[in-house]
Amino acid sequence: MNVHVEDQSVPLAVDLDGTLIASDLLWEGVFSLLRKYPYLLFMLPFWLLAGPARLKCEIATRIDIDPALLPYREQVLERLHQEKAKGRKIILATGTPRKFAEAIAQYLGIFDEVLATEANHNMTSHRKLKALVDLYGEYGFDYAGNSVHDIQVFKGARRNIIVAPDRPARRWYVRNGGELIGAQRPNFKTIVKMVRAHQWSKNVLIAVPIVLSHAYANESMVLACILAFISFSAAASAIYILNDFFDLALDRQHPTKRDRPFASGVLSMRFGLACAFCLLAISFAITVFLPVEYAFVLVLYLIMTTAYSFSIKRMLLIDVLTLAGLYTVRILAGAAASQVDISFWLLAFSIFFFLSLALVKRYVELRSVTLDPKLRMAGRGYRPEDQEVIMQAGMASAFAATLVLALYIDSADVRNLYDDPWMVWPVAPIILYITMRIWILARRDEMYDDPVVFLLRDWRSQAVIAIGAVLVIIAKFV
């Protein structure tokens, strides 16, 4: 739509959710509320039964938003600034609660008027149309929107700007015309990023019990291990999605996490929620084909990760101990799925080894942000002066893991399991090399924020791990 001179006297009303911002403040508000007050989960259905306006206002009274962190659509925002510069009246007309709408209007400083949801009046669809017609008359305003809820307003506007429309709005646009402003569309890469497929590599730990018991040729055990891997990966992806919902504000302040699909608004939270439920359904459907013990371990994992997302991740030291436990739970899942007995030695080694890697993760996070002394890192329980202690604890955990491994290699269990147990000895210095190298790279600021994924991508680590695996196989069969 080319704006003519006479258009300057016609106000331009713009929707908020999905139009001005690439997100939905209702869904964001729900998860912000649950993060702050988890017990209010049981109140949400009652508020919704009282009407959408009641739900929105109840949420708005309990939480705040930071307008500076929202994912604004740059094309729309630029267009509004251009129209404002021409002297045109700009109205924010949204179903968002007035508290949020006013905060955004004050931050942007381009709106002459705000129409928003209040009390029992939900400012959407025909209610929004009536409010605009009452103020400016029928066909006395232009309107920018994006969804099926905006179609009623489109019908009463003089001209329309349709932003990244959903399917019903797109069909209406094709029939009735108007200006179309596109937006970044999700693709397969976006979906892969949403489920964090690269994190599935961590679930290779499920195979550890089979590998250590040398049950490579047992087809039923290998199949059970594969099914457990798929089930665990689906459950983990569902939790990652939900975790992203709770961490939207924190992710948008992070230099790299702000590009995640939900933080950037490329994917809608409704779509993500549907995907999370589907992934959980797939995960539990697979448990039908596995021993019941595996289902218990899976539930334990989900409880631990949920607790971690809600509060534990912000607790000093408890967070890294929980992360180490979550890696160990993967090994327990593999043992439960394949019905392999698991030793105390393996659990002890796992706790110390993965505690060291969890501490690396926190150390890297602390070094990647600039904070004043005595201030905590956003969403964490750590301060800049904790770096030295974290590094010392991480190195100590690495040496403890190596010591446990060395004691295990000298135990009767190894002598009974391997024909040439002395050939397993090099595995101890290999583990020490891997962990010490990770810490040195972290100190040099050359480490990714997830050391487990780094291990699976780094060719040097892969090479020494392969050497250790070959030595173990030779010790067993040669």
Side-chain angles (χ1 to χ4, degrees):
M1 176 181 70
N2 295 318
V3 180
H4 302 290
V5 176
E6 63 269 25
D7 288 337
Q8 309 314 314
S9 62
V10 178
L12 173 60
V14 59
D15 181 42
L16 180 63
D17 296 327
T19 302
L20 180 57
I21 62 172
S23 187
D24 189 324
L25 287 183
L26 174 58
W27 284 105
E28 289 199 21
V30 167
F31 283 94
S32 295
L33 179 75
L34 294 180
R35 178 179 177 178
K36 191 174 182 180
Y37 308 109
Y39 57 88
L40 289 180
L41 172 65
F42 304 103
M43 292 301 299
L44 292 177
F46 296 101
W47 293 339
L48 183 58
L49 287 173
R54 170 72 181 279
L55 173 64
K56 295 176 182 179
C57 292
E58 290 286 354
I59 292 173
T61 58
R62 290 168 173 82
I63 63 169
D64 298 307
I65 63 167
D66 186 348
L69 298 179
L70 296 176
Y72 295 97
R73 295 195 188 277
E74 293 300 326
Q75 281 184 282
V76 178
L77 197 55
E78 182 181 355
R79 176 62 175 276
L80 294 179
H81 280 291
Q82 291 173 354
E83 297 299 320
K84 183 69 175 179
K86 295 174 183 177
R88 198 172 191 191
K89 189 173 185 179
I90 309 296
I91 301 99
L92 180 60
T94 173
T96 297
R98 178 163 292 277
K99 175 184 173 181
F100 295 163
E102 293 283 3
I104 292 168
Q106 183 176 3
Y107 170 73
L108 294 177
I110 57 174
F111 295 106
D112 299 284
E113 191 164 355
V114 175
L115 301 177
T117 293
E118 296 182 83
N120 294 320
H121 189 77
N122 190 28
M123 189 62 69
T124 58
S125 193
H126 64 277
R127 297 184 186 88
K128 185 185 295 186
L129 173 62
K130 183 179 184 303
L132 290 169
V133 169
D134 288 345
L135 287 171
Y136 308 109
E138 192 171 8
Y139 306 116
F141 60 93
D142 292 347
Y143 183 71
N146 74 296
S147 73
V148 63
H149 300 292
D150 294 316
I151 291 178
Q152 289 295 327
V153 191
F154 288 150
K155 294 176 180 179
R158 188 190 63 154
R159 290 184 181 143
N160 294 300
I161 302 173
I162 305 178
V163 182
D166 58 19
R167 289 183 179 179
R170 188 183 299 118
R171 289 195 295 267
W172 189 92
Y173 160 73
V174 171
R175 292 197 305 267
N176 298 276
E179 179 183 356
L180 182 64
I181 296 180
Q184 183 179 353
R185 308 297 294 181
N187 51 33
F188 180 73
K189 185 178 180 180
T190 310
I191 304 300
V192 171
K193 195 172 182 180
M194 174 190 72
V195 300
R196 298 196 211 175
H198 66 282
Q199 298 283 8
W200 294 349
S201 56
K202 297 177 181 178
N203 298 327
V204 171
L205 292 170
I206 288 174
V208 167
I210 289 182
V211 171
L212 294 182
S213 64
H214 303 287
Y216 319 113
N218 190 315
E219 294 181 0
S220 62
M221 294 175 68
V222 172
L223 178 60
C225 183
I226 293 172
L227 289 175
F229 175 84
I230 297 172
S231 172
F232 229 79
S233 297
S237 291
I239 296 299
Y240 286 138
I241 291 172
L242 295 177
N243 188 55
D244 283 350
F245 292 168
F246 289 111
D247 284 348
L248 283 177
L250 294 175
D251 287 350
R252 287 169 181 162
Q253 299 176 63
H254 194 276
T256 57
K257 293 180 181 180
R258 63 187 178 190
D259 295 324
R260 285 177 173 175
F262 300 111
S264 63
V266 177
L267 290 178
S268 71
M269 295 179 70
R270 283 185 295 178
F271 175 78
L273 199 59
C275 289
F277 280 118
C278 288
L279 288 166
L280 285 176
I282 291 170
S283 178
F284 279 99
I286 292 174
T287 62
V288 175
F289 305 99
L290 294 171
V292 68
E293 292 85 354
Y294 169 79
F296 286 117
V297 176
L298 180 62
V299 171
L300 173 64
Y301 171 79
L302 292 174
I303 292 172
M304 289 178 66
T305 51
T306 302
Y308 178 81
S309 298
F310 268 100
S311 60
I312 291 177
K313 68 191 310 181
R314 292 179 287 279
M315 297 180 181
L316 180 69
L317 298 180
I318 303 298
D319 61 334
V320 289
L321 290 170
T322 302
L323 283 177
L326 286 171
Y327 287 117
T328 304
V329 165
R330 289 174 167 87
I331 297 175
L332 291 174
S338 56
Q339 297 289 278
V340 173
D341 291 332
I342 196 167
S343 70
F344 165 81
W345 293 105
L346 176 58
L347 294 179
F349 168 80
S350 174
I351 287 293
F352 284 116
F353 180 75
F354 289 113
L355 176 59
S356 179
L357 297 188
L359 287 164
V360 170
K361 185 178 177 69
R362 290 294 177 263
Y363 180 80
V364 171
E365 288 176 347
L366 269 176
R367 291 183 64 83
S368 66
V369 297
T370 303
L371 291 173
D372 294 331
K374 308 300 182 182
L375 289 182
R376 291 186 180 184
M377 184 171 57
R380 299 287 186 253
Y382 301 90
R383 304 193 315 208
E385 60 266 33
D386 298 333
Q387 290 185 36
E388 192 65 29
V389 175
I390 291 174
M391 187 172 192
Q392 292 173 3
M395 290 291 290
S397 297
F399 278 91
T402 307
L403 177 61
V404 169
L405 179 60
L407 293 172
Y408 168 68
I409 291 172
D410 194 44
S411 69
D413 293 341
V414 171
R415 288 192 292 271
N416 293 332
L417 187 61
Y418 296 97
D419 295 331
D420 296 299
W422 62 270
M423 294 194 68
V424 185
W425 267 105
V427 175
I430 284 175
I431 293 296
L432 198 57
Y433 165 80
I434 289 173
T435 51
M436 289 183 67
R437 180 168 175 269
I438 284 176
W439 275 105
I440 290 173
L441 292 177
R443 184 65 181 82
R444 294 176 179 176
D445 295 325
E446 297 177 6
M447 170 59 59
Y448 300 107
D449 62 353
D450 194 324
V452 176
V453 176
F454 171 81
L455 278 178
L456 297 171
R457 291 178 174 176
D458 177 56
W459 70 268
R460 291 180 180 85
S461 300
Q462 293 172 353
V464 295
I465 290 172
I467 292 172
V470 170
L471 289 174
V472 169
I473 293 173
I474 293 174
K476 176 65 177 178
F477 296 106
V478 177

